[in-house]
Amino acid sequence: QVQLVESGGGLVQAGESLTLSCTASGIIFSINAMGWYRQAPGKQRELVTTITNGGRTNYADSVKGRFTISRDNAKNTVYLQMNSLKPEDTAVYYCNARLRRTIMSHESDYWGQGTQVTVSS
C-alpha cells in the first residue's frame, strides 16, 4: 500500500506564514512528481503547485511570489512554505504524488487525507 500523510495545517492570521509537509510511504518504485492541491468550500479542487523529480516547479497564478514548493527525494517528502497568507487561501490542502509502485506498474496518482488551512482577517 501507499500512504501520503500531510501535516502542518492550522489557523493563522492574514500576513502570517505556515509550512506544510507530506511524506509518502509504503511500497514505491519511483515518484515522478509531487504537488499540492486545495479545495475551498463550494469550489472545485484546484492546483496550487507541483514539482517534478528533476526539480521543475509550477505555481498557480494566485500563489506565485508567496508560496514555495520543495522536495526531499531521499525522504519522499514534499514541503509547501506559504508566506503572506490571505483569507482567500483558506481551504483543505491535499498532497498528491504521481508514482509507480513497481517496475511493472503504470504511473498513478495518490492523495493524502488533506489538512485544513484557515486564514483569518
Side-chain angles (χ1 to χ4, degrees):
Q1 65 177 16
V2 176
Q3 184 175 358
L4 303 183
V5 179
E6 303 111 323
S7 64
L11 173 64
V12 298
Q13 295 179 265
E16 294 183 339
S17 298
L18 200 61
T19 300
L20 308 181
S21 65
C22 171
T23 298
S25 63
I27 300 175
I28 301 171
F29 177 72
S30 63
I31 299 178
N32 188 57
M34 300 185 74
W36 294 93
Y37 294 71
R38 67 186 182 186
Q39 186 168 20
K43 299 186 65 177
Q44 301 275 0
R45 185 175 301 185
E46 65 177 359
L47 169 72
V48 178
T49 177
T50 61
I51 184 168
T52 69
N53 58 0
R56 178 178 293 275
T57 61
N58 71 87
Y59 297 87
D61 289 342
S62 60
V63 306
K64 287 181 179 177
R66 299 188 299 119
F67 291 11
T68 302
I69 188 171
S70 61
R71 179 178 176 182
D72 186 334
N73 289 350
K75 297 181 179 179
N76 289 340
T77 298
V78 65
Y79 305 91
L80 180 63
Q81 181 175 326
M82 303 181 290
N83 297 327
S84 302
L85 282 163
K86 305 175 180 179
E88 50 263 45
D89 295 318
T90 296
V92 177
Y93 284 70
Y94 295 92
C95 178
N96 168 267
R98 178 161 291 184
L99 57 84
R100 299 170 65 189
R101 296 182 65 190
T102 73
I103 193 171
M104 293 296 295
S105 301
H106 63 282
E107 290 185 347
S108 298
D109 284 315
Y110 292 82
W111 296 89
Q113 79 287 349
T115 184
Q116 178 71 47
V117 173
T118 302
V119 184
S120 65
S121 59

